[in-house]
Structures are given as C-alpha cells and as structure tokens.
Amino acid sequence: MALQFTIADLRSLVARGLAVSGYEPTASARVRDVPDTRTIRYYTTLGLLDRPAEMRGRTAFYDRTHVLQLVAIKRLQAENLTLSDIQSRLTGLPPKSLAKIANLPAEFWEEAATFLQTSHQINSAQASTPETDVSETEFWATVAATPHSPNEQRANINVRSSVRIRIHSDVEVIVDVPAKSRPTVDVQRLREATDVLLAELRRQGLLP
C-alpha cells in the first residue's frame, strides 16, 4: 500500500527531505524554509502542487509526489526563481525529472515510515495534541472531496475552486474552475494571449 500522510506529516517529511539533501534556503525573508498549511494550499491553487491524493471524511491525505513537488519548489526558490518561473518548469514534468530536482537521498523513502512513526511516538510521549488544521480540512472537504453517490454528485456539481496564474510580475489571473477539475496549464501560451491585456493595463497607468 502506498504511503499516505496528513498535511502535518507532509510538512515533517518536507523538512526532513530538505535537511538531509543539502538544501540551503534563500536569503529572502518572504520565503519560508518549510511551507506551512496556508502556503501549501496556495501552491495548490497555483497549480504548483497536486490536490490531495485522497480525502477521508474531512481529512486530506498526501503522498510522496507532494513531498517531491514541495522539495523541488523550495530548491528552485533557493535559486531565486519566481513562482511563475517554477510553475513553468514543473508543470507536466515527468516523475523522474521531478525526483531529480528534489534530489532526495536514495534511503529517504525507505526511512520515511519509520521517521513518521517515531515522530508520532515522541508527540505522544510529550502528551501533545496531534497537529490539525481546521481550515485546511474544511477547505478540502468543501472543494476537493470526491462524491460517493449520484445524489452527492448532483449536490456538488457547482462547487468550484480557484486557479491562480501569474502572467506578469505584477499581474495574477484568477480562474474559477470545477472543484474536481485538474487542468493542464500552459503558462507560456497564456502569457502570449494576454499581451493585449498587459498593454491596456500599461496604457491606463496600472503597470509600469
């Protein structure tokens, strides 16, 4: 069975992956070393990160692809690439190419389950409450849950989410799409198609 984990464990694995792979964070104070829940959701709306692999009730579960994507994003940010540039580079990237950018050690996945189990045991020993994020679980329960019956499908047919696409350093386009839609975004073609819009924004003094 494929390894799946909550968003709290996703962050833990990403932090470990960065720590053991020689990652050096960017000097920018605006970029987190390890993405938090809000950032993960934001990356998903941009199309940088896949939607959760599975929903169980109100809880979203992620898999190794999400770890690779997030580690790759942080590595590319450390090279001072913008999110727009990263989106162009990662969209539609084959798994092997994604793994090459993430550059995780060969033993990383062999140790992942044990690492998570140990983390849970430490949290339990410290009598800490498992980390949850109500906004994250409610977000995916509303936007990305898969209906299980025809009635549920009809009830959720109009549920939509937003895809954010940066077409210019100062311009971001927000497109509402069906919640279960996973469109393939060709950022370069969108940029070419919006030349007229950018020109008009400049004419009206809204862009330099």
Side-chain angles (χ1 to χ4, degrees):
M1 182 178 179
L3 181 66
Q4 291 190 342
F5 30 81
T6 65
I7 197 166
D9 286 342
L10 172 61
R11 291 197 296 269
S12 295
L13 285 171
V14 170
R16 177 174 171 78
L18 293 170
V20 300
S21 59
Y23 164 73
E24 296 184 5
T26 177
S28 173
R30 298 178 60 186
V31 178
R32 290 178 175 272
D33 292 352
V34 179
D36 59 11
T37 296
R38 179 176 295 182
T39 303
I40 290 172
R41 286 176 54 187
Y42 177 61
Y43 287 166
T44 307
T45 62
L46 287 179
L48 284 167
L49 187 70
D50 288 351
R51 294 178 183 275
E54 184 179 349
M55 293 295 302
R56 301 176 196 169
R58 286 183 170 270
T59 303
F61 284 84
Y62 299 81
D63 59 24
R64 66 176 61 198
T65 297
H66 297 94
V67 174
L68 292 174
Q69 289 175 328
L70 286 170
V71 172
I73 289 170
K74 302 313 295 182
R75 283 192 172 281
L76 294 176
Q77 282 185 319
E79 297 176 11
N80 296 317
L81 270 68
T82 65
L83 288 182
S84 179
D85 292 333
I86 294 172
Q87 183 183 45
S88 298
R89 185 163 175 180
L90 295 185
T91 299
L93 199 67
K96 287 186 178 180
S97 299
L98 178 63
K100 185 175 181 180
I101 295 175
N103 194 33
L104 295 178
E107 66 276 10
F108 179 81
W109 292 114
E110 297 175 6
E111 300 172 351
T114 301
F115 167 75
L116 290 178
Q117 183 178 12
T118 301
S119 297
H120 297 164
Q121 290 173 345
I122 292 174
N123 290 338
S124 178
Q126 294 175 345
S128 62
T129 302
E131 183 178 3
T132 59
D133 188 301
V134 175
S135 63
E136 192 269 343
T137 55
E138 288 182 349
F139 176 82
W140 288 117
T142 301
V143 175
T146 302
H148 298 288
S149 70
N151 289 338
E152 288 177 308
Q153 290 176 356
R154 286 192 292 272
N156 286 278
I157 193 169
N158 293 320
V159 175
R160 304 180 72 81
S161 61
S162 295
V163 174
R164 298 172 180 265
I165 305 163
R166 186 163 294 280
I167 61 173
H168 182 274
S169 59
D170 297 316
V171 180
E172 186 176 72
V173 174
I174 302 176
V175 183
D176 285 339
V177 298
K180 293 185 293 180
S181 175
R182 305 182 74 163
T184 299
V185 180
D186 188 329
V187 177
Q188 184 58 41
R189 292 197 63 178
L190 287 175
R191 287 174 178 164
E192 294 171 356
T194 53
D195 285 345
V196 174
L197 171 62
L198 295 176
E200 182 61 23
L201 289 172
R202 292 188 183 96
R203 188 189 71 80
Q204 296 189 28
L206 297 172
L207 284 179

